[in-house]
Amino acid sequence: MHSEVVASRSADPKGSSSRNGSGAPSLDSVSLAIIEQLQEDGRRPYAAIGKAVGLSEAAVRQRVQKLLDQGVMQIVAVTDPLTVGFRRQAMVGINVEGDLDPVADALTAMPECEYVVMTAGSFDLMVEVVCEDDDHLLDVINKRIRALPGVRSTESFVYLKLKKQTYMWGTR
């Protein structure tokens, strides 16, 4: 298990903390540098981050808290599902009749659904499902996902081997 920082970005060269046109907080270069420091090591001490970005420990602590409060990033422990008893993962493509929101909301409420996105393309929704075993996966897909009102069809992509899982996309 290790810590990761999951961050979204919106650069603001003037360094203001206002919101940009999309409603996302605008971030200055120092905040972006703090995020990058935490993405390298989510447990890095604020004093070390401050030294790297040119701020005091207290200023870094304040900025990190603001980034957390604004929902710009989260600091979380990321586990390998296999090591904690989840032996089957799959991506499920879902086609929906009618409004996507109720189906997406129902999927979001399912603990096995770790990732739910609305997409453009062959599927209306893509859902990453993490289960204990094949029987659990079958139950989730057959009795819970396919049973949702509005679900027209599903296609499952069972993971055979996880080669890369990272949240290190940086702050470009």
Side-chain angles (χ1 to χ4, degrees), residues 20 23 28 52 59 68 80 82 89 96 103 105 110 114-115 128 133 136-137 139 153 158 162 165 170-171:
N20 66 19
D28 65 10
L68 294 169
D80 175 354
L82 290 173
Q89 291 177 270
V96 175
V103 177
D105 291 344
M110 292 182 191
E114 295 293 325
Y115 182 77
E128 185 175 42
D133 53 30
H136 185 197
L137 177 62
D139 183 69
S153 64
V158 175
L162 182 62
Q165 180 180 23
T171 58

Side-chain angles (χ1 to χ4, degrees), residues 99-111 113 116 118 125 127 148:
D99 189 2
L100 299 179
D101 282 320
V103 177
D105 291 344
L107 294 165
T108 300
M110 292 182 191
C113 296
V116 178
M118 295 177 178
L125 300 166
V127 181
L148 291 172

